[in-house]
Amino acid sequence: MLYISGISAFLWLLVHLARWYGQPLPYLNGHLTDLIVVPLIAQVCLVVVQRWMVQQDDYHLPLGYVLFIAVYVSVVFEGVMPRFSPRYTGDWLDVAAYFAGAAGYYGWQRWPATMPAG
């Protein structure tokens, strides 16, 4: 899971560096960051909970936690922030990307545990 998070963080940084240097990446600029933000936040939360709260390396975030992150990010960045800054725009495709990222993260985190023993 840490490997996927590292790739996600790298892609997020790549998209933002391209924006900062005035060379936005056309499709990736708009939706890739929305797709990977929830998994990145969830992974940070997971590491904090695993290391300092439950102190179990095999702990996984429950579905409710991952969905809460997606709802929170959706409300803040697609509902609240567009009212206060022209930089943000409310977009249902972004909300869909947040929830797709949440579903992907939750499935990926559970995937090894659901594989049949072979």
Side-chain angles (χ1 to χ4, degrees):
M1 191 57 164
L2 209 50
Y3 175 74
I4 297 299
S5 297
I7 292 171
S8 296
F10 172 75
L11 290 172
W12 183 88
L13 183 62
L14 179 69
V15 168
H16 282 275
L17 283 173
R19 284 181 191 171
W20 291 327
Y21 286 107
Q23 302 295 323
L25 306 170
Y27 183 76
L28 298 180
N29 187 52
H31 297 288
L32 178 66
T33 54
D34 298 327
L35 186 65
I36 62 179
V37 70
V38 171
L40 285 174
I41 294 170
Q43 185 63 26
V44 169
C45 292
L46 177 65
V47 169
V48 168
V49 170
Q50 281 179 337
R51 291 190 182 163
W52 291 291
M53 297 175 79
V54 298
Q55 298 177 348
Q56 295 175 349
D57 290 338
D58 61 344
Y59 176 82
H60 297 291
L61 291 179
L63 179 60
Y65 288 20
V66 178
L67 289 176
F68 174 81
I69 294 168
V71 168
Y72 182 83
V73 169
S74 297
V75 168
V76 169
F77 290 104
E78 306 305 322
V80 175
M81 293 305 292
R83 297 173 191 253
F84 295 101
S85 173
R87 181 176 178 210
Y88 297 94
T89 57
D91 182 1
W92 286 105
L93 288 177
D94 292 348
V95 173
Y98 298 144
F99 279 91
Y105 177 82
Y106 184 77
W108 187 267
Q109 138 178 278
R110 298 285 182 201
W111 179 61
T114 59
M115 293 296 293

